[in-house]
Amino acid sequence: MMTSAPKTQSSSAAAVEQLRSQIFTGKLGAGTDHLESELAEALGMSRTPVREALLVLEGQGLVDVRPRKGVRIKPLSPADMTEIYDILTELESLAAANAARAGYSDTELSRLSVTVDEMDRALRQNDLDAWAQADDAFHHELVRLGNNSRVQSIVGMLSDQVRRARLVTLHMRPLPTRSNEDHRKLLAAIRQGDAKTAHRMHHVHRTAAKEMLIQLLRKHHLNSL
Amino acid sequence: MMTSAPKTQSSSAAAVEQLRSQIFTGKLGAGTDHLESELAEALGMSRTPVREALLVLEGQGLVDVRPRKGVRIKPLSPADMTEIYDILTELESLAAANAARAGYSDTELSRLSVTVDEMDRALRQNDLDAWAQADDAFHHELVRLGNNSRVQSIVGMLSDQVRRARLVTLHMRPLPTRSNEDHRKLLAAIRQGDAKTAHRMHHVHRTAAKEMLIQLLRKHHLNSL
DNA sequence: GTATTCGTCAATGTATACATAAAGAGATGC
DNA sequence: GCATCTCTTTATGTATACATTGACGAATAC
C-alpha cells in the first residue's frame, strides 16, 4: 500500500485530501465544473477552507480555477500525457543515476528489490492490479533513493496528474513482461554503482512505456480523460 | 528585461506579486519569519488575500508556512542548489532535445540566436549584468522552444528559487567565456535537428555550471542565502 | 432578424469576527 | 534547582457578511 493514512488536522487539509481522492476516483469527473459553494456544502464546511484547498490543487495541476465559471477538473489529453511522461522520464532517470552514485548497500536496496519480485509474482499470477501497485512502489522507491526532495515532489505531482489515465489504460495494455527485465537490469546497475547505465536503462524503459501508452490512447480515441 | 508587467487585478494576485518581489530583492530576507497579520498590514490588505498568496508561494517553494511560528522565507543551502541545478539540467536538456526535434526554421530560432550575440557583446564589454540578462533570456527561450508547458512552469519555479543566489554569485564567478561557445554549439545542434547532441551539449553545459556554482558557494561559506 | 447596450444577478474576492489550539510563562510540587 | 502542570496569550483556522465584477439576458434600435 502506498496510501499513508491522511492524518487530517485542519479542515483545509481535509478538503485537499477529499477533493484529491474524489478527483482520482472520478467522483469529480475530468472536465467538469464546480462552484466553490457546491464543493463546500458537499464537504460540509465553509467556502474558506475549500478555496484554500483549490489553490493548492491548482498549484498541483489538478484543477483550473476560472473566476466565475467554476473550478474545472483538469482533463488530460494525449499531448498532456506526452509532456508529463517526458518529464517523468528525465527526472526518474536522474534519480536512478543518483541512486547508483550513492552506493547503497544491498540492505538499503532491499525494498526496491522486493518490489521487483512482487511484480514478477503478480505477472505470473496474471494479477494486473497487484502488478500496477508493485510498479508504483518500484518507481516511488527509486525516486526516494535518488535523494532529491524536489524530484520527489515533482514526480509525485505529475504522477497524480496521470493517475486517472493509468487506471483506464492498465487493463488495455499488453502484459508488461518486458518491463520486468528492465527493472532487474536497472537494479543491477544501481547495485554496481553504474550511474550512466542506470540513467540510460531507465530512460529507455520510460520512453518505451510512454510510446506504448500514447499509442494506446490514440487507438482508443481517448482524447480527454 | 524578462519581467513582464504584472497586471494585477485582485488583491490576492497583487499580494503574490509583491511578496515575490520582496523575496527576490531581499526585503523579506531568507530565513526570516513573518506573521500573516504583519504582511497583511504591510501590504495594506486583510489577512485573507495574504493567506491565499502564501499558499501559492508555498506551492512554488518560496516560503514555508509553519503554523504559529510565522511564515519562513525559505533559505537556500548548497544542497538545495545541487537539487535544483540537477533538475534544471535534465529539464532544459529535454527542452533542447525537443527543440532540435521540432525542426525550427532560422526565423523561429532568431531570438535564441540574438541572445547568444548579446552574451558575446556583453562579455566583450565586460558587462556582467547584461550577460546575465542575456543568459536568462537564452535559457528562457530555449525552454520555450522545447514546447512543453509543464517543463516551462517547473523550470520557471526552480529558477525563481535560485534567483537570489544568482544575484549574489554573479559577481564572484569567473568570466563565463567558455559558456558562450557552449551556447553556440547548442544552437547549431538545434538548427541541424540533432536532438541527441543538443541534449548532451546542454547537459554538459549545465553540469559544469552547477559544479562551478557549488564550489563558489562552498569557498565563500555561503551556507544559506 | 440582428446587433448593441444596459441592467440584473450570481459567483467570486475581501474583510472581519470568532473559534481553536499551540507556545510560553508562571506557579507549584518535589 | 528542576520538572511538570496549568493558564494565558496570541497566531492561525474557519465561518460569515459584504463588496465587486463579469456573464447573461432582456430590451431597444436599426
Side-chain angles (χ1 to χ4, degrees), chain B residues 3-64:
Chain B
T3 52
S4 50
K7 45 192 111 181
T8 273
Q9 309 227 357
S10 63
S11 269
S12 181
V16 173
E17 284 308 323
Q18 296 188 58
L19 291 175
R20 278 171 61 85
S21 96
Q22 294 191 13
I23 289 171
F24 294 149
T25 62
K27 194 171 165 194
L28 290 172
T32 59
D33 296 336
H34 307 271
L35 299 180
E36 291 178 359
S37 41
E38 289 174 14
L39 295 173
E41 188 174 13
L43 299 184
M45 57 183 76
S46 76
R47 274 177 54 218
T48 308
V50 172
R51 270 179 73 82
E52 296 190 348
L54 290 174
L55 279 174
V56 170
L57 295 174
E58 184 175 39
Q60 298 179 350
L62 290 175
V63 307
D64 270 340

Short mmCIF file of all heavy atoms in Angstrom, two decimals, chain B residues 3-64:
data_model
loop_
_atom_site.label_atom_id
_atom_site.label_comp_id
_atom_site.label_asym_id
_atom_site.label_seq_id
_atom_site.Cartn_x
_atom_site.Cartn_y
_atom_site.Cartn_z
N THR B 3 11.03 40.71 -17.06
CA THR B 3 9.87 40.92 -16.20
C THR B 3 8.75 41.61 -16.96
O THR B 3 8.79 42.79 -17.25
CB THR B 3 10.25 41.81 -15.00
OG1 THR B 3 10.88 42.98 -15.53
CG2 THR B 3 11.20 41.09 -14.10
N SER B 4 7.73 40.83 -17.27
CA SER B 4 6.57 41.39 -17.94
C SER B 4 5.71 42.11 -16.90
O SER B 4 5.67 41.74 -15.74
CB SER B 4 5.76 40.26 -18.58
OG SER B 4 5.53 39.25 -17.64
N ALA B 5 5.06 43.14 -17.35
CA ALA B 5 4.24 43.94 -16.44
C ALA B 5 3.26 43.04 -15.70
O ALA B 5 2.43 42.39 -16.31
CB ALA B 5 3.50 45.01 -17.22
N PRO B 6 3.32 43.00 -14.39
CA PRO B 6 2.43 42.15 -13.62
C PRO B 6 1.08 42.82 -13.46
O PRO B 6 0.82 43.43 -12.44
CB PRO B 6 3.14 41.99 -12.28
CG PRO B 6 4.26 43.02 -12.27
CD PRO B 6 4.20 43.78 -13.54
N LYS B 7 0.26 42.67 -14.43
CA LYS B 7 -1.07 43.27 -14.37
C LYS B 7 -1.88 42.60 -13.28
O LYS B 7 -2.18 41.42 -13.32
CB LYS B 7 -1.79 43.13 -15.71
CG LYS B 7 -1.66 41.75 -16.30
CD LYS B 7 -2.14 41.73 -17.74
CE LYS B 7 -1.00 41.53 -18.70
NZ LYS B 7 -1.34 41.52 -20.08
N THR B 8 -2.22 43.40 -12.33
CA THR B 8 -2.77 42.87 -11.11
C THR B 8 -4.23 43.26 -10.96
O THR B 8 -4.55 44.44 -10.87
CB THR B 8 -1.95 43.37 -9.92
OG1 THR B 8 -0.88 42.48 -9.74
CG2 THR B 8 -2.76 43.48 -8.69
N GLN B 9 -5.08 42.28 -10.94
CA GLN B 9 -6.50 42.59 -10.77
C GLN B 9 -6.89 42.44 -9.31
O GLN B 9 -7.20 43.42 -8.65
CB GLN B 9 -7.33 41.61 -11.61
CG GLN B 9 -6.87 41.55 -13.04
CD GLN B 9 -8.04 41.64 -13.99
OE1 GLN B 9 -9.18 41.69 -13.58
NE2 GLN B 9 -7.77 41.68 -15.27
N SER B 10 -6.85 41.24 -8.83
CA SER B 10 -7.29 41.00 -7.46
C SER B 10 -6.17 41.32 -6.48
O SER B 10 -5.00 41.32 -6.83
CB SER B 10 -7.69 39.55 -7.30
OG SER B 10 -6.57 38.73 -7.51
N SER B 11 -6.56 41.59 -5.26
CA SER B 11 -5.60 41.80 -4.18
C SER B 11 -4.73 40.57 -4.01
O SER B 11 -3.53 40.67 -3.78
CB SER B 11 -6.35 42.05 -2.87
OG SER B 11 -6.59 43.40 -2.69
N SER B 12 -5.38 39.44 -4.11
CA SER B 12 -4.67 38.19 -3.91
C SER B 12 -3.51 38.06 -4.89
O SER B 12 -2.37 37.76 -4.49
CB SER B 12 -5.65 37.05 -4.10
OG SER B 12 -5.02 35.83 -3.90
N ALA B 13 -3.78 38.35 -6.14
CA ALA B 13 -2.72 38.30 -7.14
C ALA B 13 -1.68 39.36 -6.86
O ALA B 13 -0.47 39.13 -7.00
CB ALA B 13 -3.31 38.49 -8.54
N ALA B 14 -2.14 40.53 -6.42
CA ALA B 14 -1.20 41.59 -6.08
C ALA B 14 -0.30 41.15 -4.94
O ALA B 14 0.90 41.42 -4.95
CB ALA B 14 -1.97 42.85 -5.68
N ALA B 15 -0.88 40.47 -3.98
CA ALA B 15 -0.10 40.00 -2.84
C ALA B 15 0.98 39.04 -3.31
O ALA B 15 2.14 39.14 -2.89
CB ALA B 15 -1.01 39.32 -1.82
N VAL B 16 0.64 38.13 -4.19
CA VAL B 16 1.63 37.20 -4.71
C VAL B 16 2.77 37.97 -5.36
O VAL B 16 3.95 37.76 -5.04
CB VAL B 16 1.01 36.24 -5.74
CG1 VAL B 16 2.09 35.40 -6.41
CG2 VAL B 16 -0.01 35.33 -5.09
N GLU B 17 2.43 38.90 -6.22
CA GLU B 17 3.45 39.68 -6.92
C GLU B 17 4.35 40.44 -5.96
O GLU B 17 5.58 40.39 -6.07
CB GLU B 17 2.78 40.70 -7.87
CG GLU B 17 2.23 40.09 -9.14
CD GLU B 17 3.27 39.25 -9.86
OE1 GLU B 17 4.45 39.65 -9.85
OE2 GLU B 17 2.92 38.19 -10.41
N GLN B 18 3.73 41.15 -5.03
CA GLN B 18 4.53 41.96 -4.12
C GLN B 18 5.40 41.11 -3.21
O GLN B 18 6.57 41.43 -3.00
CB GLN B 18 3.61 42.84 -3.27
CG GLN B 18 2.83 43.84 -4.11
CD GLN B 18 2.07 44.83 -3.25
OE1 GLN B 18 2.66 45.54 -2.44
NE2 GLN B 18 0.76 44.87 -3.39
N LEU B 19 4.83 40.03 -2.71
CA LEU B 19 5.64 39.18 -1.83
C LEU B 19 6.79 38.57 -2.62
O LEU B 19 7.93 38.54 -2.14
CB LEU B 19 4.76 38.10 -1.20
CG LEU B 19 3.74 38.63 -0.19
CD1 LEU B 19 2.82 37.51 0.30
CD2 LEU B 19 4.46 39.27 0.99
N ARG B 20 6.51 38.10 -3.81
CA ARG B 20 7.57 37.56 -4.65
C ARG B 20 8.70 38.57 -4.82
O ARG B 20 9.87 38.26 -4.60
CB ARG B 20 7.03 37.20 -6.04
CG ARG B 20 6.32 35.87 -6.13
CD ARG B 20 5.63 35.73 -7.48
NE ARG B 20 6.56 35.77 -8.59
CZ ARG B 20 7.22 34.73 -9.05
NH1 ARG B 20 7.05 33.56 -8.50
NH2 ARG B 20 8.04 34.85 -10.07
N SER B 21 8.32 39.77 -5.18
CA SER B 21 9.38 40.73 -5.48
C SER B 21 10.14 41.09 -4.20
O SER B 21 11.35 41.28 -4.22
CB SER B 21 8.81 41.95 -6.19
OG SER B 21 8.55 42.98 -5.28
N GLN B 22 9.43 41.14 -3.07
CA GLN B 22 10.14 41.42 -1.82
C GLN B 22 11.06 40.28 -1.42
O GLN B 22 12.07 40.49 -0.74
CB GLN B 22 9.14 41.71 -0.70
CG GLN B 22 8.37 43.01 -0.96
CD GLN B 22 7.56 43.46 0.23
OE1 GLN B 22 7.73 42.96 1.34
NE2 GLN B 22 6.67 44.42 0.02
N ILE B 23 10.70 39.08 -1.82
CA ILE B 23 11.59 37.95 -1.53
C ILE B 23 12.82 38.03 -2.42
O ILE B 23 13.96 37.84 -1.97
CB ILE B 23 10.85 36.61 -1.77
CG1 ILE B 23 9.79 36.40 -0.68
CG2 ILE B 23 11.83 35.44 -1.78
CD1 ILE B 23 8.85 35.23 -0.94
N PHE B 24 12.62 38.37 -3.67
CA PHE B 24 13.74 38.41 -4.61
C PHE B 24 14.72 39.55 -4.27
O PHE B 24 15.93 39.40 -4.39
CB PHE B 24 13.24 38.58 -6.05
CG PHE B 24 12.47 37.40 -6.54
CD1 PHE B 24 11.45 37.54 -7.46
CD2 PHE B 24 12.78 36.11 -6.08
CE1 PHE B 24 10.73 36.44 -7.91
CE2 PHE B 24 12.07 35.01 -6.52
CZ PHE B 24 11.04 35.17 -7.44
N THR B 25 14.16 40.68 -3.86
CA THR B 25 15.03 41.82 -3.56
C THR B 25 15.64 41.71 -2.17
O THR B 25 16.51 42.50 -1.82
CB THR B 25 14.25 43.14 -3.62
OG1 THR B 25 13.21 43.10 -2.63
CG2 THR B 25 13.63 43.34 -4.99
N GLY B 26 15.19 40.76 -1.38
CA GLY B 26 15.75 40.60 -0.06
C GLY B 26 15.07 41.45 0.99
O GLY B 26 15.47 41.45 2.16
N LYS B 27 14.06 42.19 0.58
CA LYS B 27 13.34 42.98 1.58
C LYS B 27 12.70 42.03 2.60
O LYS B 27 12.57 42.35 3.77
CB LYS B 27 12.26 43.83 0.88
CG LYS B 27 11.72 44.92 1.79
CD LYS B 27 10.83 45.90 1.04
CE LYS B 27 10.02 46.73 2.03
NZ LYS B 27 8.91 47.45 1.39
N LEU B 28 12.29 40.88 2.11
CA LEU B 28 11.94 39.79 3.02
C LEU B 28 13.12 38.82 2.97
O LEU B 28 13.29 38.07 2.01
CB LEU B 28 10.66 39.09 2.54
CG LEU B 28 9.37 39.90 2.68
CD1 LEU B 28 8.21 39.19 2.00
CD2 LEU B 28 9.05 40.11 4.16
N GLY B 29 13.94 38.89 3.99
CA GLY B 29 15.20 38.16 3.96
C GLY B 29 15.06 36.65 4.07
O GLY B 29 14.12 36.15 4.71
N ALA B 30 15.99 35.95 3.46
CA ALA B 30 15.99 34.48 3.54
C ALA B 30 16.09 34.03 4.98
O ALA B 30 16.89 34.55 5.75
CB ALA B 30 17.17 33.94 2.75
N GLY B 31 15.24 33.11 5.34
CA GLY B 31 15.29 32.56 6.69
C GLY B 31 14.53 33.36 7.73
O GLY B 31 14.42 32.93 8.87
N THR B 32 13.99 34.50 7.33
CA THR B 32 13.25 35.30 8.31
C THR B 32 11.79 34.84 8.41
O THR B 32 11.25 34.24 7.49
CB THR B 32 13.26 36.80 7.93
OG1 THR B 32 12.67 36.95 6.63
CG2 THR B 32 14.69 37.33 7.89
N ASP B 33 11.19 35.14 9.56
CA ASP B 33 9.81 34.72 9.83
C ASP B 33 8.88 35.91 9.85
O ASP B 33 9.26 37.00 10.28
CB ASP B 33 9.73 34.02 11.18
CG ASP B 33 10.53 32.73 11.19
OD1 ASP B 33 10.74 32.17 10.10
OD2 ASP B 33 10.96 32.31 12.27
N HIS B 34 7.66 35.69 9.43
CA HIS B 34 6.71 36.79 9.34
C HIS B 34 5.30 36.32 9.64
O HIS B 34 4.90 35.24 9.22
CB HIS B 34 6.76 37.41 7.95
CG HIS B 34 8.16 37.79 7.54
ND1 HIS B 34 8.70 39.02 7.83
CD2 HIS B 34 9.13 37.10 6.91
CE1 HIS B 34 9.94 39.07 7.39
NE2 HIS B 34 10.23 37.91 6.82
N LEU B 35 4.57 37.15 10.35
CA LEU B 35 3.19 36.82 10.67
C LEU B 35 2.27 37.26 9.54
O LEU B 35 2.53 38.26 8.88
CB LEU B 35 2.77 37.52 11.95
CG LEU B 35 3.58 37.14 13.19
CD1 LEU B 35 3.05 37.89 14.40
CD2 LEU B 35 3.52 35.63 13.43
N GLU B 36 1.22 36.51 9.37
CA GLU B 36 0.23 36.87 8.35
C GLU B 36 -0.26 38.30 8.55
O GLU B 36 -0.38 39.07 7.59
CB GLU B 36 -0.97 35.93 8.41
CG GLU B 36 -0.64 34.52 7.96
CD GLU B 36 -1.85 33.61 8.10
OE1 GLU B 36 -2.91 34.09 8.55
OE2 GLU B 36 -1.74 32.42 7.75
N SER B 37 -0.50 38.62 9.81
CA SER B 37 -1.06 39.94 10.09
C SER B 37 -0.06 41.05 9.76
O SER B 37 -0.45 42.10 9.25
CB SER B 37 -1.48 40.02 11.56
OG SER B 37 -0.52 39.40 12.38
N GLU B 38 1.22 40.82 10.04
CA GLU B 38 2.24 41.82 9.68
C GLU B 38 2.23 42.04 8.17
O GLU B 38 2.19 43.18 7.69
CB GLU B 38 3.65 41.32 10.04
CG GLU B 38 3.98 41.28 11.50
CD GLU B 38 5.36 40.62 11.70
OE1 GLU B 38 6.10 40.49 10.71
OE2 GLU B 38 5.67 40.24 12.85
N LEU B 39 2.33 40.94 7.45
CA LEU B 39 2.39 41.04 5.99
C LEU B 39 1.15 41.74 5.47
O LEU B 39 1.23 42.59 4.58
CB LEU B 39 2.51 39.64 5.39
CG LEU B 39 3.82 38.91 5.72
CD1 LEU B 39 3.76 37.47 5.21
CD2 LEU B 39 5.01 39.65 5.13
N ALA B 40 0.00 41.38 6.03
CA ALA B 40 -1.25 41.99 5.58
C ALA B 40 -1.20 43.49 5.78
O ALA B 40 -1.53 44.26 4.87
CB ALA B 40 -2.42 41.38 6.35
N GLU B 41 -0.75 43.89 6.95
CA GLU B 41 -0.68 45.32 7.22
C GLU B 41 0.31 45.99 6.27
O GLU B 41 0.01 47.04 5.68
CB GLU B 41 -0.26 45.57 8.68
CG GLU B 41 -0.37 47.04 9.05
CD GLU B 41 -0.11 47.26 10.54
OE1 GLU B 41 0.40 46.30 11.20
OE2 GLU B 41 -0.39 48.36 11.03
N ALA B 42 1.46 45.37 6.09
CA ALA B 42 2.48 45.94 5.21
C ALA B 42 1.94 46.11 3.79
O ALA B 42 2.29 47.07 3.10
CB ALA B 42 3.71 45.05 5.20
N LEU B 43 1.11 45.19 3.37
CA LEU B 43 0.59 45.27 2.01
C LEU B 43 -0.72 46.05 1.93
O LEU B 43 -1.28 46.24 0.86
CB LEU B 43 0.38 43.86 1.44
CG LEU B 43 1.62 42.98 1.33
CD1 LEU B 43 1.28 41.65 0.67
CD2 LEU B 43 2.71 43.69 0.52
N GLY B 44 -1.21 46.45 3.08
CA GLY B 44 -2.43 47.23 3.09
C GLY B 44 -3.66 46.45 2.68
O GLY B 44 -4.53 46.96 1.98
N MET B 45 -3.72 45.22 3.13
CA MET B 45 -4.93 44.44 2.85
C MET B 45 -5.21 43.52 4.03
O MET B 45 -4.43 43.49 4.99
CB MET B 45 -4.75 43.64 1.56
CG MET B 45 -3.56 42.72 1.57
SD MET B 45 -3.31 41.85 0.00
CE MET B 45 -2.62 43.12 -1.03
N SER B 46 -6.32 42.81 3.96
CA SER B 46 -6.66 41.94 5.09
C SER B 46 -5.89 40.62 4.99
O SER B 46 -5.20 40.37 4.01
CB SER B 46 -8.15 41.66 5.09
OG SER B 46 -8.46 40.72 4.08
N ARG B 47 -6.00 39.82 5.99
CA ARG B 47 -5.25 38.56 6.02
C ARG B 47 -5.68 37.62 4.90
O ARG B 47 -4.86 36.83 4.41
CB ARG B 47 -5.45 37.87 7.37
CG ARG B 47 -4.49 38.34 8.45
CD ARG B 47 -4.80 37.66 9.76
NE ARG B 47 -4.84 36.22 9.63
CZ ARG B 47 -5.69 35.43 10.26
NH1 ARG B 47 -6.60 35.95 11.06
NH2 ARG B 47 -5.65 34.14 10.08
N THR B 48 -6.93 37.68 4.52
CA THR B 48 -7.44 36.68 3.56
C THR B 48 -6.61 36.58 2.28
O THR B 48 -6.11 35.49 1.96
CB THR B 48 -8.91 36.93 3.25
OG1 THR B 48 -9.64 37.03 4.48
CG2 THR B 48 -9.49 35.82 2.42
N PRO B 49 -6.45 37.67 1.54
CA PRO B 49 -5.67 37.53 0.31
C PRO B 49 -4.20 37.19 0.58
O PRO B 49 -3.56 36.52 -0.25
CB PRO B 49 -5.81 38.89 -0.37
CG PRO B 49 -6.27 39.82 0.69
CD PRO B 49 -7.02 39.01 1.69
N VAL B 50 -3.70 37.63 1.71
CA VAL B 50 -2.31 37.31 2.04
C VAL B 50 -2.16 35.81 2.27
O VAL B 50 -1.23 35.17 1.76
CB VAL B 50 -1.85 38.08 3.29
CG1 VAL B 50 -0.48 37.60 3.75
CG2 VAL B 50 -1.82 39.57 3.00
N ARG B 51 -3.08 35.24 3.00
CA ARG B 51 -3.06 33.79 3.24
C ARG B 51 -3.07 33.05 1.91
O ARG B 51 -2.33 32.08 1.71
CB ARG B 51 -4.29 33.36 4.03
CG ARG B 51 -4.11 33.38 5.52
CD ARG B 51 -5.40 32.96 6.19
NE ARG B 51 -5.67 31.53 6.05
CZ ARG B 51 -5.13 30.61 6.83
NH1 ARG B 51 -4.28 30.95 7.77
NH2 ARG B 51 -5.42 29.33 6.66
N GLU B 52 -3.93 33.49 1.02
CA GLU B 52 -4.02 32.81 -0.27
C GLU B 52 -2.72 32.94 -1.04
O GLU B 52 -2.23 31.98 -1.63
CB GLU B 52 -5.21 33.37 -1.07
CG GLU B 52 -6.54 33.08 -0.36
CD GLU B 52 -7.75 33.39 -1.23
OE1 GLU B 52 -7.60 34.03 -2.27
OE2 GLU B 52 -8.87 32.99 -0.82
N ALA B 53 -2.15 34.14 -0.98
CA ALA B 53 -0.86 34.35 -1.67
C ALA B 53 0.20 33.43 -1.08
O ALA B 53 0.99 32.82 -1.81
CB ALA B 53 -0.44 35.81 -1.54
N LEU B 54 0.20 33.31 0.24
CA LEU B 54 1.22 32.48 0.88
C LEU B 54 1.08 31.02 0.47
O LEU B 54 2.07 30.31 0.31
CB LEU B 54 1.14 32.63 2.40
CG LEU B 54 1.58 34.01 2.91
CD1 LEU B 54 1.31 34.13 4.41
CD2 LEU B 54 3.05 34.24 2.60
N LEU B 55 -0.15 30.57 0.30
CA LEU B 55 -0.36 29.19 -0.16
C LEU B 55 0.26 28.99 -1.55
O LEU B 55 0.90 27.98 -1.82
CB LEU B 55 -1.85 28.86 -0.22
CG LEU B 55 -2.48 28.49 1.11
CD1 LEU B 55 -3.98 28.33 0.94
CD2 LEU B 55 -1.87 27.20 1.63
N VAL B 56 0.05 29.98 -2.39
CA VAL B 56 0.62 29.91 -3.74
C VAL B 56 2.14 29.88 -3.67
O VAL B 56 2.80 29.04 -4.30
CB VAL B 56 0.14 31.10 -4.60
CG1 VAL B 56 0.91 31.16 -5.90
CG2 VAL B 56 -1.36 31.00 -4.84
N LEU B 57 2.69 30.79 -2.89
CA LEU B 57 4.15 30.87 -2.78
C LEU B 57 4.73 29.61 -2.15
O LEU B 57 5.83 29.19 -2.51
CB LEU B 57 4.54 32.11 -1.97
CG LEU B 57 4.17 33.43 -2.64
CD1 LEU B 57 4.46 34.61 -1.72
CD2 LEU B 57 4.92 33.60 -3.96
N GLU B 58 3.98 29.03 -1.25
CA GLU B 58 4.45 27.77 -0.67
C GLU B 58 4.50 26.70 -1.75
O GLU B 58 5.46 25.93 -1.84
CB GLU B 58 3.53 27.33 0.47
CG GLU B 58 4.01 26.07 1.17
CD GLU B 58 3.16 25.71 2.38
OE1 GLU B 58 1.91 25.87 2.30
OE2 GLU B 58 3.72 25.28 3.39
N GLY B 59 3.48 26.68 -2.58
CA GLY B 59 3.46 25.73 -3.68
C GLY B 59 4.62 25.94 -4.64
O GLY B 59 5.08 25.00 -5.29
N GLN B 60 5.10 27.16 -4.72
CA GLN B 60 6.21 27.46 -5.60
C GLN B 60 7.55 27.30 -4.90
O GLN B 60 8.60 27.61 -5.44
CB GLN B 60 6.07 28.89 -6.14
CG GLN B 60 4.81 29.07 -6.95
CD GLN B 60 4.65 30.49 -7.46
OE1 GLN B 60 5.38 31.40 -7.06
NE2 GLN B 60 3.69 30.69 -8.35
N GLY B 61 7.49 26.84 -3.65
CA GLY B 61 8.72 26.55 -2.93
C GLY B 61 9.47 27.77 -2.45
O GLY B 61 10.66 27.69 -2.15
N LEU B 62 8.79 28.89 -2.34
CA LEU B 62 9.49 30.10 -1.90
C LEU B 62 9.37 30.35 -0.41
O LEU B 62 10.22 31.03 0.17
CB LEU B 62 8.96 31.32 -2.68
CG LEU B 62 9.34 31.35 -4.16
CD1 LEU B 62 8.68 32.51 -4.88
CD2 LEU B 62 10.86 31.43 -4.31
N VAL B 63 8.33 29.84 0.20
CA VAL B 63 8.16 30.01 1.64
C VAL B 63 7.70 28.70 2.29
O VAL B 63 7.22 27.79 1.60
CB VAL B 63 7.11 31.11 1.96
CG1 VAL B 63 7.42 32.40 1.24
CG2 VAL B 63 5.72 30.63 1.60
N ASP B 64 7.88 28.65 3.59
CA ASP B 64 7.32 27.56 4.37
C ASP B 64 6.29 28.13 5.31
O ASP B 64 6.60 29.06 6.06
CB ASP B 64 8.41 26.89 5.22
CG ASP B 64 9.07 25.75 4.48
OD1 ASP B 64 8.46 25.23 3.53
OD2 ASP B 64 10.20 25.38 4.86
#
